[in-house]
């Protein structure tokens, strides 16, 4: 181990000492399986530990270097990873944060770390089955297709003429946030080489996905208010919150969540593998927590919508136009729940390859579902498309 004790002593009454230990056999208990990665892992060294006893200030003036001997021959094509033991409450695991492999040969690896802890070497081998590459390829194609339909839906919501009973504020902003989130994730999530940029991308993704879920909730709430009005009036008027209040709620809630999260744990954005939230200190629950809460409320709203629709249909006898409107809303309620709920719920069950593929396809095609349900299956929108197409044909002289 190479450490600048002189620099540490300058901040500790001109005295400093370091303790360096090696634990034989400890790798059997702190195995490589505790490293959170999709790659195959294997322990390649003894577990070592370094600490500064009787030192009030433990911040290192410069990184510390460890030269760690391999316990076996290095595998060709394997990635030697320097890790430290992260004891974050109940969640204990090997982490790569703050440690990098500076040099490695057949016999030893030099690790550079910006803190002292318990360390080890873990060899990572990529899965040769190719399933991850296939999943990534499918995801990219599906996301690009979904983005195209998101763009079509956004253009439609902005330029089409809608009846007075329809308020598209929530739907438009939902499409806008999901479009930006999926586009940014597609082009920026893998840029981990620049830590500052990666943190910014992770923070932006955190905000955009949270905003998307808030808009999903507001869209479900708008639909609930519309359904409730069916049992009270003969003609469906525009229901729900004013657009200004929707915009305030839709963007203030994710701003507060991201702002508090960044203030409490600013190091939680961006990791060594993807520009997203780190797993340390359960930081990902700053996203998963609100998501679970919103999905639960959406489920209750869906049940309430179905209940109100059932009561409405029971009391309807001869109002054909109203029955038709109600049946359309029933259909949209079911599809809305599939679009805004089921695809995200699958994200919590990623234990099998089939569920991973299903989650990738459904989640990336939200733009496609929204475009089909709210644009292609809407008579008013189809009439607008015909007008646009006719004007285009006239301009081109067809």
């Amino acid at each position: 181990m190479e450490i600048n004790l002189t620099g540490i002593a300058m901040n500790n009454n001109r005295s400093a000492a370091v303790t360096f230990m090696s634990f034989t056999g400890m790798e059997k208990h702190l195995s490589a399986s505790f490293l959170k990665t999709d790659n195959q892992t294997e322990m390649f060294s003894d577990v070592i530990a370094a600490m500064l006893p009787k030192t009030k200030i433990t911040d290192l003036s410069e990184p510390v270097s460890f030269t760690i001997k391999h316990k076996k021959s290095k595998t060709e094509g394997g990635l030697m990873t320097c890790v430290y033991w992260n004891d974050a409450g109940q969640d204990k695991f090997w982490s790569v944060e703050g440690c990098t492999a500076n040099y490695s040969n057949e016999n030893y690896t030099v690790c550079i770390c910006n803190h002292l802890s318990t360390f080890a070497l873990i060899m990572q081998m990529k899965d040769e089955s190719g399933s991850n590459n296939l999943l990534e390829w499918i995801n990219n194609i599906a996301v690009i297709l979904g983005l195209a339909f998101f763009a079509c839906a956004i253009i439609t919501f902005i330029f089409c003429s809608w009846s007075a009973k329809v308020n598209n504020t929530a739907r438009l902003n939902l499409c806008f946030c999901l479009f930006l989130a999926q586009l940014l994730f597609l082009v920026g999530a893998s840029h981990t080489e620049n830590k500052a940029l990666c943190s910014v991308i992770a923070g932006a993704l955190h905000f955009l996905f949270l905003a998307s879920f808030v808009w999903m909730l507001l869209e479900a709430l708008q639909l609930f208010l519309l359904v409730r009005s069916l049992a009270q009036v003969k003609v469906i008027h525009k229901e729900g919150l004013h657009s200004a209040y929707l915009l305030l709620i839709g963007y203030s809630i994710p701003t507060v969540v991201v702002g508090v999260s960044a203030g409490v744990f600013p190091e939680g954005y961006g990791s060594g593998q993807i520009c997203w939230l780190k797993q340390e200190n359960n930081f990902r629950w700053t996203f998963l927590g609100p998501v679970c809460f919103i999905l639960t409320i959406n489920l209750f709203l869906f049940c309430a919508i179905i209940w109100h629709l059932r009561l409405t249909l029971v009391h309807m006898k001869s109002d054909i136009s109203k029955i038709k409107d109600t049946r359309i809303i029933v259909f949209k309620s079911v599809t809305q729940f599939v679009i805004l709920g089921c695809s995200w719920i699958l994200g919590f069950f990623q234990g099998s390859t089939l569920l991973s593929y299903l989650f990738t396809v459904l989640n990336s095609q939200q733009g496609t579902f929204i475009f089909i349900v709210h644009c292609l299956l809407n008579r008013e929108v189809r009439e607008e498309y015909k007008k646009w197409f006719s004007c285009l044909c006239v301009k081109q002289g067809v």
Side-chain angles (χ1 to χ4, degrees):
M1 180 178 64
E2 295 181 11
I3 185 171
N4 183 9
L5 283 178
T6 302
I8 298 173
M10 294 296 293
N11 297 320
N12 191 55
N13 297 326
R14 298 187 178 276
S15 66
V18 63
T19 301
F20 184 71
M21 298 168 286
S22 177
F23 304 96
T24 303
M26 183 61 73
E27 67 276 5
K28 297 178 182 178
H29 304 283
L30 307 181
S31 65
S33 62
F34 285 98
L35 178 63
K36 298 181 179 181
T37 177
D38 293 330
N39 298 328
Q40 299 178 2
T41 57
E42 185 178 1
M43 190 67 75
F44 249 66
S45 73
D46 290 329
V47 176
I48 63 173
M51 63 186 69
L52 297 170
K54 297 182 180 181
T55 303
K56 296 181 180 180
I57 300 176
T58 58
D59 293 336
L60 301 179
S61 58
E62 59 185 64
V64 60
S65 172
F66 299 98
T67 301
I68 306 177
K69 183 180 178 181
H70 299 167
K71 297 190 68 173
K72 56 186 71 175
S73 300
K74 186 177 179 181
T75 305
E76 184 177 355
L79 175 65
M80 195 63 71
T81 310
C82 301
V83 296
Y84 83 97
W85 184 249
N86 189 319
D87 188 354
Q90 295 182 352
D91 194 11
K92 301 176 176 62
F93 54 93
W94 288 114
S95 174
V96 299
E97 299 299 325
C99 288
T100 57
N102 189 48
Y103 173 79
S104 184
N105 60 20
E106 293 295 325
N107 301 315
Y108 64 89
T109 295
V110 178
C111 297
I112 303 295
C113 299
N114 57 21
H115 56 83
L116 297 183
S117 182
T118 301
F119 304 94
L121 285 177
I122 292 180
M123 171 71 77
Q124 295 191 62
M125 293 292 295
K126 291 185 178 180
D127 188 0
E128 298 299 331
S129 63
S131 60
N132 290 335
N133 292 332
L134 178 61
L135 182 61
E136 182 179 358
W137 183 81
I138 292 177
N139 179 70
N140 291 339
I141 298 298
V143 168
I144 293 173
L145 179 63
L147 288 174
F149 281 106
F150 263 131
C152 293
I154 291 172
I155 293 173
T156 300
F157 294 149
I158 293 176
F159 294 104
C160 267
S161 299
W162 298 82
S163 62
K165 65 187 178 184
V166 178
N167 188 338
N168 284 310
T169 301
R171 199 171 301 151
L172 174 61
N173 283 275
L174 168 61
C175 292
F176 183 69
C177 289
L178 281 175
F179 177 85
L180 291 181
Q182 293 189 9
L183 178 63
L184 182 60
F185 191 87
L186 179 66
V187 302
S190 60
H191 294 292
T192 58
E193 61 277 358
N194 188 322
K195 292 185 178 180
L197 178 61
C198 187
S199 298
V200 172
I201 292 175
L205 287 173
H206 191 195
F207 172 82
L208 289 171
F209 277 119
L210 277 180
S212 300
F213 276 98
V214 175
W215 283 113
M216 288 178 191
L217 176 60
L218 293 174
E219 171 70 2
L221 179 61
Q222 293 286 95
L223 183 61
F224 169 75
L225 294 175
L226 177 62
V227 168
R228 191 182 63 173
S229 70
L230 283 171
Q232 301 174 354
V233 294
K234 293 183 179 180
V235 180
I236 304 175
H237 298 287
K238 185 181 293 186
E239 292 289 334
L241 298 174
H242 190 273
S243 297
Y245 292 110
L246 289 173
L247 291 171
L248 179 62
I249 297 172
Y251 290 110
S252 62
I253 292 177
T255 299
V256 171
V257 174
V258 174
V260 172
S261 302
V264 173
F265 188 44
E267 297 83 7
Y269 291 98
S271 64
Q273 298 177 344
I274 191 173
C275 296
W276 182 232
L277 309 183
K278 295 179 181 177
Q279 298 184 10
E280 282 86 346
N281 299 326
N282 294 317
F283 189 69
R284 288 190 177 179
W285 279 99
T286 60
F287 174 73
L288 296 177
V291 167
C292 292
F293 178 74
I294 291 174
L295 289 178
T296 302
I297 295 180
N298 272 354
L299 179 60
F300 281 110
L301 285 175
F302 172 75
C303 295
I305 289 170
I306 298 301
W307 176 260
H308 278 80
L309 287 173
R310 187 188 69 84
L311 294 178
T312 303
L313 287 172
V314 167
H315 293 88
M316 286 183 181
K317 295 181 179 180
S318 59
D319 194 340
I320 303 301
S321 62
K322 195 172 181 182
I323 292 176
K324 184 177 180 181
D325 281 342
T326 304
R327 288 177 176 174
I328 292 175
I329 294 176
V330 171
F331 169 74
K332 290 189 176 182
S333 299
V334 176
T335 55
Q336 194 89 336
F337 178 71
V338 174
I339 294 171
L340 306 184
C342 293
S343 61
W344 290 99
I345 292 174
L346 288 173
F348 292 91
F349 305 96
Q350 294 293 292
S352 67
T353 304
L354 177 61
L355 288 177
S356 297
Y357 281 104
L358 191 60
F359 171 74
T360 297
V361 173
L362 289 179
N363 192 48
S364 63
Q365 294 309 299
Q366 286 183 312
T368 306
F369 296 146
I370 290 176
F371 179 75
I372 293 174
V373 172
H374 296 292
C375 297
L376 292 184
L377 298 182
N378 189 305
R379 182 180 56 82
E380 292 177 300
V381 175
R382 291 198 301 270
E383 292 297 327
E384 288 288 332
Y385 285 163
K386 291 178 181 179
K387 293 179 182 178
W388 292 355
F389 184 73
S390 299
C391 293
L392 182 62
C393 291
V394 170
K395 288 182 180 181
Q396 292 182 352
V398 178

